[in-house]
Structures are given as structure tokens and as C-alpha cells.
Amino acid sequence: MGVAVERKPFPLPASDITDAYSLEVSAKDIAALSAAAPRILPASTISVPYLPREDNDARLAAVLAIRRLGFEPMPHFSARRIASLAEFESFVRRAAAEAGVERCFVIAGDPSTPMGPFSDSASLIDTGVFERSGIKLIGVGGHPEGHPVMNKAEQWDVLERKCHSIGQRGMAPLIVTQFAFDAEIVLAWLKALRERGIDHPVRVGVPGPANIAVLARYAALCGVSACASMWSKYGVSIGKLFGTAGPDLFVDRLASGLTEAHGKVSLHFFPFGGIAQSVKWIEQYRSRA
């Protein structure tokens, strides 16, 4: 009888992590996306956030433009900002019919009091609107560095239930994390995710290169920790908080730490410093491989 050999997971090639990246682009930034389009990988997923200053006409125009550019639009839906079921269903149906939208992303949203009947992202999934409209994939949020109002146990429970509900409705779940600054925390979170039997693809949120003060402001708005020790791990000296920072060190550490055991992982870029700057950084990073 042969001796069993332990097969240790091996690191994935660094280039793999940028092979299927996605970008977050608001409706007002479609012109910048159009200018950068020739340099973006064909059929890339482009997420359109649900911003309170933009209406459904602007969001629909954005997803139409994204489709015409040859990319895969993924509109966001902020549950607590949606005034009615009719409004929600109308937009999803139009986005699917007119722009060929097949993937959507759901969040609860910032308002403490819902503007309509939806209190959280699960309530949007439970309407059945997505599958009836032909949507094939639903993205949900992941929070490696913590959630502002839920503890860890609650976060895992909510994530598992949403992924299960999406799968039961015949759609594919995708987990997109909030942007992070500490690769070790993300790797530990991915390990815990897989140990819980959640094997769906994950897109790890990454801030594109941007002014450090801008990054700090967005971190504070989104509830992401950005203390001195975390800035250091991201590659920023606490004494140099006025320049520009890119995600080189974060992505290097994430890529080198990923193994087959972490499952399917790619990157989702938040271009706080501008789309052109993020695309240029991606090009340079990929050229290193």
C-alpha cells in the first residue's frame, strides 16, 4: 500500500489575478471610459454604482454606452434608495432588453430609513424580478476588513443566505469585496470563506492609483479601516500622506499569497484617481509578468 503524499497548494502566477479585472465607473464618467476603452480588455465587466445624484435615465444611458463599447455592464441596485417595486422592475427589464444586461449587483445602501419597500439587498433578490428579466448573475458584497453595522457572525450568515437564494433562483452568485488595504486580511478572509463551503468567484476590491488624501476620504466614507499600520502595509509612510499611492504592494502580496485553495479570485478596481490612471497602472502591472 503506497504512502499518501501531502499536496501543498502552490501560489498562482501573478499575472492570473489581472486576467479578468473589472472596473467601477459612474454614469458621469462614461466619456472617460470611452477614451480609455481601446486599452481595456474586451468584454471586461464595468460596474455602474447606484449614486444618489444620478437618476435611472442616466444609469440606463450608462449601461447602454458600456454595451456599445464592447464591455459587460453590471448596474448596481441600492435597495434603500429604490422608491417602489414598479420602479425597480421597470429598470431591470429595460436594462436587460435594451442593453443586454445579464449581471447585476445589489447592496442595502446608506440611508438608515428605506425610501420604499426594500430594506436590504436580500429583499431585492426575493422579488424574483432578476430571474424573470433574464439576469444570470448577481453580485453581492463581501467585507474582509469588517462591516460598519454587522459583526462577523452576522456577515457570514447574511452572505451565505444571499448566495443560497441566488443559486436557488437559477442565477450565479458573485462576491465583490469592498476595497481593502491589507492583503493579509483579505487572504485570511478568503480562506475562511472557502472553509465555510462558499466556493463562488470573488472579485477583490482594489483602489486604483490616487492621491492619498482622496483614498483616505473614500476609506472613511465607506467604513474601511485606514490606520497608520494599515497604510504601512499598503506601502504608504505615515509621514508621506500627500502624494499619490498605487496598489502595487497590495496586489503583489495578494497575488503571491493566493493558492488554488483560495478559489477563483480576480480584481475589481475603484478608479478614485481616474479611469485613465487605473488603466495605465493595470497595463504596467500586466507587462511585468
Side-chain angles (χ1 to χ4, degrees), residues 10-262:
F10 53 87
L12 299 177
S15 59
D16 286 0
I17 201 170
T18 59
D19 283 348
Y21 66 85
S22 56
L23 288 165
E24 188 135 334
V25 177
S26 67
K28 68 180 178 61
D29 290 326
I30 292 300
L33 176 68
S34 299
R39 299 162 57 193
I40 300 172
L41 295 180
S44 293
T45 296
I46 307 295
S47 292
V48 181
Y50 198 102
L51 301 180
R53 298 178 302 278
E54 296 170 353
D55 59 22
N56 281 342
D57 287 341
R59 296 179 189 111
L60 184 61
V63 298
L64 284 164
I66 290 166
R67 176 61 71 196
R68 285 194 295 267
L69 289 169
F71 304 126
E72 194 69 40
M74 186 166 79
H76 291 200
F77 293 89
S78 179
R80 294 174 190 156
R81 294 189 184 277
I82 297 173
S84 69
L85 174 61
E87 173 196 326
F88 170 55
E89 186 161 18
S90 173
F91 183 85
V92 176
R93 288 190 179 280
R94 287 191 65 191
E98 298 174 29
V101 167
E102 294 184 341
R103 55 190 68 183
C104 298
F105 182 81
V106 293
I107 58 171
D110 296 329
S112 56
T113 302
M115 296 173 60
F118 306 116
S119 60
D120 54 27
S121 54
S123 61
L124 294 178
I125 297 167
D126 291 343
T127 63
V129 166
F130 289 121
E131 65 266 33
R132 290 198 302 269
S133 302
I135 303 303
K136 297 180 180 178
L137 178 148
I138 298 292
V140 296
H143 300 83
E145 292 182 1
H147 192 282
V149 298
M150 287 191 287
N151 61 38
K152 285 186 178 181
E154 291 170 330
Q155 289 175 57
W156 287 124
D157 180 60
V158 168
L159 182 59
E160 288 175 330
R161 285 192 285 109
K162 283 191 287 192
C163 288
H164 178 74
S165 178
I166 292 165
Q168 286 290 100
R169 293 175 177 278
M171 299 176 290
L174 169 70
I175 300 167
V176 184
T177 79
Q178 181 57 276
F179 64 89
F181 293 111
D182 190 328
E184 296 305 316
I185 289 177
V186 174
L187 288 165
W189 180 86
L190 286 167
K191 182 174 181 290
L193 182 81
R194 302 317 186 193
E195 288 175 347
R196 298 182 75 91
I198 304 174
D199 59 0
H200 309 298
V202 174
R203 289 190 179 276
V204 174
V206 179
N211 179 276
I212 297 169
V214 171
L215 291 176
R217 184 169 71 250
Y218 274 104
L221 288 172
C222 298
V224 176
S225 177
C227 60
S229 62
M230 200 162 289
W231 278 126
S232 176
K233 290 181 179 179
Y234 195 68
V236 175
S237 167
I238 194 64
K240 298 179 180 179
L241 292 181
F242 298 100
T244 297
D248 303 67
L249 185 59
F250 173 85
V251 175
D252 281 346
R253 288 177 171 173
L254 182 65
S256 64
L258 285 173
T259 69
E260 288 187 322
H262 290 102

